[in-house]
């Protein structure tokens, strides 16, 4: 077969290599130990000293042709020496890249036909120049010898031989990747992969060098610090001082504080044990700071200090009445607590939970209770707390560890019997760091909190004398186990009359004092306050009412200062202390009426539109609980030609959508009972809409309202517009109890509706409501939809389509006035 420069063939033995690649132009020493491999080398030495070097695919002692890669390197054996251990040490010099093909042979080793495997493609002069620059820069990081060869132009005379020197050092560490590069046919692709591997290796080496440098620097600094500490100790010893005398003052101070703290015996023993550890610890050691912080917390906590309770029931009642209007239920509960204290002298810590809308005075009531009892008051905000360690603390093994919020509150209180407010307990979160609500179970359990164990303190702390008061906006968001440990006291929304009295008794005097207007004669008419309540606020509490009154008083303060400055004919920086200003304000009187309210506050934010009490077909009035206290919830139903779909609009939640489906199923299954044609929904779309569309709505209490509106739309009979209703409906037409009745009745009263339908099972809830709310209302109690029909329709449901009289109930709901 003719041999050309482009293609040559050899019939040669094979030297298989394990996890190693020989590249063209590369020279290596390798140890040969397998008998077949030694025989192959000796055969090559006896002939032309040429051998095919190929890496194995599989790790086996007796490789076959299938166990070898098809691409390898033809090599010349430059030296060979037998070792005392029977191995053969061989020096190989790679020359050409080859492909191998099997060849039958009687030899114990593999014989192959090796054919030159030439690269395809070539570089332009411009690419050649760029590669020269790259090699000139990069080869210095691999082998200075290669850099000199490139600089002399030896390697660049053959770009092919410039690829392989990049990989020489890594043929044993990355054999698979280098074998893959060796097998690439395109010269440009082969060079690109070689450069990529080289860059990866260079980046890794750079990172390793940085890590080694940092470790070396850290060790150096540690040794330097140790050397300095030893010098300090030597100097102290030279001066006659030792480590104990250096911080003996701290030791004695802590010892005295431990003796005076009144700790339980077990806690005192633990404190003395930590004090002894502190005495033996070098002051500059990190452990010294950790132990000192621990002792500071132990000695700062109140272990026996308590405040004397004010047990005068009359005095406590006066304080609570002075701070808050109405709220009779929570006030009565506190007076009961004090009465028991009068009789027993001690009482386990009570856990109360005030539940109500924002702004009704839950937090301020807790503060007033503490003031009335003569106890310290501490507030803990739980809104958004997601980490259990916020309650129980962090273990001292962590850097910057601290006790939890409970122990921190006790330290701030300074007594063992404070009033601790757990604010927004319904807004606790949970995530991978634990469940803080579960951690609160121990805190709020009177049987367990006498031995509360904080992770930081690691000793038991008695919380049984603490009066815990929690607050929440929604009772349903409180975890059930936590709810079971608290006594729920609901604080309802305020009526307009309640807000009027609160404004006159508390808000206006407070704001006048804050604005520095005590010397000014300012009065609000009742009509002006009611205008602010109805046209500028819409809330269950009085926060926005206080803001609007504050706005009015700020504008009056601005007018007073501007008038005085104009009269004095000069700017003044502080007019309050001037005698002329005091005389000036005594001559000015401000009577804030409705007209002035509208002048100062501009356009009303909420229009008190009169509720339409007219009877309408397909429209029923429901009642809804909202965060602002409650509102009317009109439900509109229309039936129109379509594809028999149920359309629900008004931004309804999942529960409310399910209520709509249940209501429609009940009406369709009892169509004959209501005189509705059985095919009333055939070929029709039923659209249920709940205004206002931009406000999210959810809950099951609109079930009865949707059912009545559907019956009205299907029969074409109007629903009474002066009747509001609430209740969950089942597929059998039963009406189930709901919550939030106080806020719902407030909404009905505010809109002039005096007839309300509620579930029979809510009778006990209605009876607990104040008489001034329910006194002038007619409340009907029902247990099924059929009982509601004569109450909401002025005409009886008589079938007109088929001449059959529908069943018309004669059972009316029980009314209460």
């Amino acid at each position: 077969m003719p041999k050309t420069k482009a293609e040559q063939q050899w019939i040669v033995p094979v030297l298989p290599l394990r996890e190693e690649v020989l590249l063209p132009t590369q020279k290596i020493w390798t140890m040969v130990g397998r008998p077949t491999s030694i025989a192959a080398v000796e055969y090559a030495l006896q002939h032309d000293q040429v051998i095919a070097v190929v890496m194995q695919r599989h790790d086996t002692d007796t490789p076959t042709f299938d166990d070898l890669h098809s691409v390898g390197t033809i090599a010349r054996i430059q030296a060979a020496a037998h070792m005392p251990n029977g191995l053969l040490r061989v020096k190989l010099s790679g020359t050409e890249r080859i492909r191998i093909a099997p060849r039958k042979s009687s030899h114990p080793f593999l014989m192959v036909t090796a054919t030159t495997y030439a690269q395809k493609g070539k570089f332009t002069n411009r690419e050649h120049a760029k590669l020269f620059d790259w090699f000139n820069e990069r080869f210095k990081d691999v082998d200075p010898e290669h850099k000199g060869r490139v600089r002399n132009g030896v390697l660049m005379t053959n770009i092919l031989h410039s690829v392989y020197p990049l990989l020489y050092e890594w043929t044993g560490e990355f054999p698979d990747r280098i074998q893959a590069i060796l097998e690439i046919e395109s010269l440009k692709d082969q060079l690109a992969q070689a450069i990529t591997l080289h860059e990866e290796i260079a980046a890794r080496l750079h990172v390793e060098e940085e890590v080694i440098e940092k470790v070396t620097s850290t060790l150096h600094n540690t040794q330097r610090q140790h050397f300095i500490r030893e010098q300090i100790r030597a100097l102290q010893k030279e001066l006659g001082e030792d480590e104990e005398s250096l911080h003996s003052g701290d030791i004695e101070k802590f010892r005295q504080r431990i003796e005076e703290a009144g700790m339980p015996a077990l806690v005192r023993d633990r404190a003395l044990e930590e004090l002894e550890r502190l005495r033996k610890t070098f002051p500059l050691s990190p452990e010294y700071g950790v132990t000192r912080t621990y002792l500071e917390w132990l000695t700062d906590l109140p272990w026996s200090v308590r405040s004397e309770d004010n047990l005068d029931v009359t005095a406590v009642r006066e304080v609570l009445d002075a701070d808050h209007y109405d709220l009779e239920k929570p006030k009565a509960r506190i007076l009961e607590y004090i009465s028991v204290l009068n009789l027993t002298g001690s009482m386990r810590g009570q856990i109360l939970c005030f539940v109500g809308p924002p702004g009704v005075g839950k937090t301020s009531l807790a503060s007033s209770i503490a003031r009335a009892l003569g106890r310290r008051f501490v507030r803990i905000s739980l809104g958004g707390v997601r980490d259990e360690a916020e309650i129980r603390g962090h273990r001292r093994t962590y850097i910057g560890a601290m006790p939890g919020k409970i122990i921190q509150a006790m330290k701030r209180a300074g007594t063992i019997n404070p009033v601790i407010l757990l604010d927004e307990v319904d807004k606790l979160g949970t995530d991978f760091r634990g469940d803080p609500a579960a951690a609160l179970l121990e805190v709020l359990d009177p049987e367990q909190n006498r031995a509360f164990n904080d992770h930081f303190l690691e000793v038991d702390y008695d919380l049984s004398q603490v009066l815990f008061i929690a607050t929440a906006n929604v009772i349903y968001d409180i975890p059930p186990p936590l709810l079971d440990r608290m006594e729920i006291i609901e604080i309802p929304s305020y009526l307009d009359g309640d807000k009027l009295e609160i404004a006159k008794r508390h808000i206006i005097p407070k704001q006048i004092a804050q604005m520095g207007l005590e010397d000014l004669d300012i009065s609000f008419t009742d009509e002006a306050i009611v205008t602010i309540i109805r046209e500028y606020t819409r809330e269950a509490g009085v926060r926005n009412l206080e803001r609007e009154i504050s706005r009015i008083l700020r504008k009056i303060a601005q007018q007073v200062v501007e008038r005085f400055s104009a009269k004095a004919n000069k700017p003044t920086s502080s007019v309050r202390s001037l005698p002329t200003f005091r005389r000036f304000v005594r001559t000015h009187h401000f009577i804030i009426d409705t007209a002035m309210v509208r002048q100062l506050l501009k356009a009303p934010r909420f229009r008190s539109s009169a509720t339409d009490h007219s009877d309408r077909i397909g429209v029923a009035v429901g009642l809804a609980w909202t965060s602002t206290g409650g509102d009317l919830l009109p439900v509109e139903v229309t039936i129109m030609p379509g594809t028999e779909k149920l359309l629900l609009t008004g931004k309804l939640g999942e529960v409310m959508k399910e209520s709509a489906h249940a209501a429609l199923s009940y009406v369709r299954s009892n169509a004959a009972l209501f005189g509705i044609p059985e095919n009333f929904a055939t070929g029709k779309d039923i659209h249920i809409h709940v205004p206002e569309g931009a406000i999210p709505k959810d809950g099951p209490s609109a079930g009865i309202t949707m059912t009545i509106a559907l019956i009205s739309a299907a029969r074409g009979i109007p629903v009474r517009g002066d009747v509001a209703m609430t209740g969950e409906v089942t597929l059998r037409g039963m009406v189930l109890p709901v919550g939030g009745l106080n806020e719902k009745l407030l909404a009905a009263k505010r809109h002039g509706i005096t007839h309300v339908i509620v579930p029979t099972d809510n009778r006990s809830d209605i009876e607990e409501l104040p008489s001034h709310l329910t006194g002038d209302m007619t409340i009907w109690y029902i247990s099924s939809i059929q009982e509601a029909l004569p109450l909401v329709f002025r005409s009886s449901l008589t079938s007109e389509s088929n001449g059959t009289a529908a069943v018309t109930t004669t059972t009316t709901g029980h009314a209460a006035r």
Side-chain angles (χ1 to χ4, degrees):
M1 180 176 182
K3 298 180 180 180
T4 65
K5 188 174 183 58
E7 179 178 326
Q8 286 182 292
Q9 282 189 347
W10 298 266
I11 299 174
V12 291
V14 175
L15 175 62
L17 296 183
R18 288 173 172 170
E19 300 295 328
E20 188 176 9
V21 180
L22 176 65
L23 296 172
T25 73
Q26 184 182 11
K27 296 179 181 180
I28 63 171
W29 283 93
T30 185
M31 302 297 292
V32 180
R34 287 180 287 196
T36 54
S37 298
I38 293 176
V41 172
E42 290 176 344
Y43 177 87
L45 288 172
Q46 294 172 3
H47 292 79
D48 54 1
Q49 299 182 342
V50 175
I51 194 169
V53 181
V54 183
M55 190 177 78
Q56 295 182 199
R57 294 179 184 270
H58 311 114
D59 187 6
T60 175
D61 289 335
T62 57
T64 63
F65 186 81
D66 293 336
D67 295 321
L68 302 178
H69 285 276
S70 61
V71 177
T73 302
I74 198 73
R76 184 169 293 280
I77 301 174
Q78 293 186 335
H82 286 278
M83 308 299 292
N85 57 3
L87 300 179
L88 183 63
R89 188 165 183 260
V90 181
K91 183 179 182 180
L92 301 173
S93 175
T95 57
E96 297 288 344
R97 185 175 69 159
I98 58 172
R99 279 187 179 277
I100 61 173
R103 187 178 183 87
K104 292 183 179 181
S105 171
S106 59
H107 298 289
F109 46 83
L110 296 176
M111 292 291 292
V112 296
T113 301
T115 306
T116 304
Y117 184 25
Q119 278 88 352
K120 294 183 179 180
K122 61 181 181 178
F123 293 95
T124 64
N125 292 335
R126 186 175 181 182
E127 290 173 334
H128 197 282
K130 287 185 177 181
L131 283 172
F132 181 86
D133 294 338
W134 188 88
F135 274 92
N136 191 42
E137 176 64 26
R138 298 298 182 182
F139 257 107
K140 65 183 180 182
D141 297 328
V142 179
D143 190 343
E145 177 186 352
H146 296 318
K147 179 182 176 183
R149 296 177 66 192
V150 171
R151 186 173 295 163
N152 294 332
V154 174
L155 292 178
M156 294 310 297
T157 58
N158 186 351
I159 291 292
L160 171 61
H161 292 167
S162 302
V163 176
Y164 303 122
L166 294 172
L167 312 175
Y168 283 174
E169 292 188 7
W170 315 108
T171 54
E173 190 169 352
F174 303 99
D176 292 332
R177 291 190 63 178
I178 293 177
Q179 177 66 33
I181 293 173
L182 181 65
E183 294 178 0
I184 296 175
E185 184 176 15
S186 169
L187 176 59
K188 290 186 178 181
D189 292 342
Q190 192 180 50
L191 183 58
Q193 292 297 321
I195 291 174
T196 300
L197 179 59
H198 174 266
E199 292 294 317
E200 292 178 6
I201 295 171
R204 192 187 70 172
L205 290 175
H206 180 69
V207 172
E208 290 177 353
E209 289 175 359
E210 287 186 345
V211 171
I212 293 173
E213 183 179 353
K214 289 180 180 179
V215 171
T216 304
S217 176
T218 302
L219 290 175
H220 175 73
N221 291 336
T222 302
Q223 293 171 352
R224 181 172 176 271
Q225 292 173 4
H226 178 73
F227 178 73
I228 293 175
R229 288 197 185 101
E230 290 298 325
Q231 284 186 321
I232 293 174
R233 291 184 181 183
L235 291 173
Q236 290 174 349
K237 189 174 182 180
E238 190 71 24
L239 293 172
E241 299 177 352
D242 56 14
E243 295 178 5
E244 184 173 356
S245 64
L246 184 65
H247 56 281
S248 59
D250 284 348
I251 301 299
E252 291 306 316
K253 180 185 70 172
F254 279 122
R255 192 182 304 278
Q256 181 179 357
R257 291 170 64 177
I258 292 171
E259 297 298 333
E260 295 174 352
M263 300 175 178
L266 292 177
V267 179
R268 182 177 178 275
D269 292 344
R270 177 62 182 275
L272 292 176
E273 179 184 334
E274 293 294 329
L275 183 63
E276 181 64 18
R277 179 181 299 174
L278 182 71
R279 187 185 67 81
K280 296 178 179 179
T281 305
F282 185 63
L284 297 181
S285 169
E287 184 67 23
Y288 184 88
V290 173
T291 307
R292 180 187 173 89
T293 302
Y294 178 76
L295 285 172
E296 286 177 348
W297 274 101
L298 272 185
T299 54
D300 285 344
L301 282 174
W303 295 96
S304 57
V305 179
R306 59 179 298 122
S307 56
E308 292 297 326
D309 288 329
N310 178 13
L311 301 180
D312 188 344
V313 176
T314 303
V316 171
R317 184 191 299 274
E318 290 176 354
V319 171
L320 295 177
D321 288 341
D323 288 349
H324 289 84
Y325 172 77
D326 198 16
L327 303 180
E328 292 301 326
K329 187 179 289 187
K331 290 180 182 177
R333 182 63 184 82
I334 296 304
L335 295 178
E336 294 169 4
Y337 175 70
I338 295 174
S339 300
V340 174
L341 282 178
N342 269 292
L343 296 175
T344 62
S346 64
M347 190 175 178
R348 285 185 180 180
Q350 301 296 294
I351 295 95
L352 307 178
C353 182
F354 297 154
V355 178
V360 295
K362 301 184 294 296
T363 303
S364 60
L365 178 60
S367 176
S368 295
I369 290 172
R371 189 167 74 90
L373 292 174
R375 294 188 178 190
R376 302 283 181 86
F377 176 73
V378 182
R379 173 180 172 270
I380 300 176
S381 178
L382 298 179
V385 172
R386 295 178 175 273
D387 190 355
E388 179 189 355
E390 293 284 339
I391 306 298
R392 287 189 173 275
H394 300 82
R395 300 194 183 277
R396 284 192 291 160
T397 52
Y398 295 102
I399 297 176
M402 292 182 64
K405 289 181 177 291
I406 302 298
I407 295 299
Q408 293 180 34
M410 295 302 297
K411 178 184 176 182
R412 294 200 305 270
T415 62
I416 62 173
N417 62 336
V419 175
I420 294 183
L421 175 67
L422 303 175
D423 210 6
E424 310 291 357
V425 72
D426 58 329
K427 296 175 179 60
L428 283 169
T430 179
D431 62 11
F432 65 93
R433 292 169 292 184
D435 185 1
L440 278 177
L441 296 179
E442 181 183 359
V443 176
L444 299 182
D445 192 335
E447 299 297 331
Q448 301 181 40
N449 63 10
R450 62 176 62 251
F452 173 69
N453 194 287
D454 187 274
H455 289 162
F456 181 84
L457 295 183
E458 296 179 331
V459 294
D460 292 340
Y461 190 85
D462 187 3
L463 298 174
S464 62
Q465 302 299 314
V466 179
L467 174 59
F468 286 102
I469 299 177
T471 68
N473 295 130
V474 184
I475 193 172
Y476 308 107
D477 291 337
I478 303 175
L482 197 59
L483 187 65
D484 182 61
R485 286 164 168 76
M486 300 186 292
E487 180 179 346
I488 303 300
I489 299 177
E490 294 190 4
I491 300 181
S493 305
Y494 292 123
L495 291 170
D496 290 353
D498 298 331
K499 295 179 181 180
L500 174 62
E501 291 299 323
I502 293 172
K504 291 164 63 176
R505 298 185 188 187
H506 302 285
I507 296 178
I508 293 175
K510 173 186 172 183
Q511 291 298 321
I512 288 177
Q514 288 185 356
M515 302 296 170
L517 300 173
E518 302 97 321
D519 298 330
L520 204 61
D521 185 8
I522 300 177
S523 61
F524 284 75
T525 66
D526 290 354
E527 293 78 9
I529 298 175
V530 172
T531 299
I532 299 173
I533 293 170
R534 293 179 177 175
E535 298 184 10
Y536 294 91
T537 65
R538 181 170 292 176
E539 58 181 343
V542 292
R543 282 180 182 161
N544 288 326
L545 175 61
E546 184 172 3
R547 291 190 186 100
E548 297 304 322
I549 291 175
S550 176
R551 283 181 61 197
I552 291 175
L553 294 178
R554 287 198 302 269
K555 293 179 182 298
I556 290 177
Q558 179 184 356
Q559 292 180 11
V560 170
V561 173
E562 288 176 349
R563 290 179 187 178
F564 178 76
S565 299
K567 184 176 180 180
N569 200 25
K570 62 178 181 179
T572 54
S573 57
S574 178
V575 300
R576 182 177 175 82
S577 60
L578 299 177
T580 54
F581 178 73
R582 296 197 187 96
R583 292 192 296 269
F584 172 79
V585 297
R586 294 192 185 101
T587 62
H588 286 71
H589 307 278
F590 288 89
I591 299 176
I592 301 172
D593 54 14
T594 301
M596 182 173 287
V597 167
R598 292 196 173 106
Q599 177 186 351
L600 295 176
L601 298 183
K602 306 303 179 183
R605 297 182 182 178
F606 306 99
R607 297 289 182 181
S608 57
S609 56
T611 304
D612 184 6
H613 296 322
S614 61
D615 299 353
R616 290 176 290 174
I617 297 174
V619 179
V621 180
L623 295 171
W625 179 93
T626 68
S627 60
T628 60
D631 206 349
L632 295 187
L633 189 74
V635 175
E636 302 174 347
V637 176
T638 183
I639 301 176
M640 54 194 173
T643 57
E644 301 184 8
K645 292 186 299 185
L646 175 62
L647 307 176
L648 301 174
T649 56
K651 205 168 186 181
L652 309 184
E654 289 299 321
V655 177
M656 203 165 185
K657 290 179 181 178
E658 292 174 359
S659 296
H661 284 281
L664 178 59
S665 297
Y666 171 71
V667 172
R668 293 181 65 180
S669 62
N670 296 274
L673 185 65
F674 306 127
I676 301 173
E678 292 185 1
N679 60 348
F680 80 99
T682 303
K684 302 291 181 63
D685 283 346
I686 299 176
H687 188 172
I688 300 178
H689 177 67
V690 184
E692 301 166 352
I695 300 175
K697 310 167 191 71
D698 205 359
S701 64
I704 184 175
T705 315
M706 293 179 175
T707 304
I708 296 299
L710 279 168
I711 295 173
S712 171
R715 287 288 286 116
I717 299 176
V719 183
R720 288 179 58 176
D722 60 344
V723 177
M725 62 202 77
T726 183
E728 180 180 354
V729 171
T730 70
L731 290 176
R732 297 295 178 265
M734 304 305 294
V735 181
L736 304 183
V738 293
L741 288 174
N742 184 81
E743 287 77 12
K744 292 176 180 179
L745 293 184
L746 283 175
K749 192 178 187 70
R750 187 167 59 245
H751 289 83
I753 292 180
T754 57
H755 297 79
V756 178
I757 297 175
V758 299
T760 301
D761 291 341
N762 283 121
R763 181 187 291 272
S764 59
D765 300 317
I766 297 294
E767 291 174 350
E768 291 185 2
L769 297 179
S771 57
H772 64 267
L773 174 59
T774 61
D776 56 350
M777 299 186 74
T778 300
I779 301 175
W780 290 307
Y781 299 99
I782 64 169
S783 57
S784 67
I785 289 294
Q786 294 186 47
E787 294 179 13
L789 299 182
L791 305 177
V792 297
F793 296 113
R794 299 186 189 275
S795 57
S796 62
L797 296 180
T798 302
S799 175
E800 299 174 358
S801 59
N802 54 14
T804 304
V807 177
T808 303
T809 179
T810 58
T811 304
T812 59
H814 303 286
R817 290 190 66 86

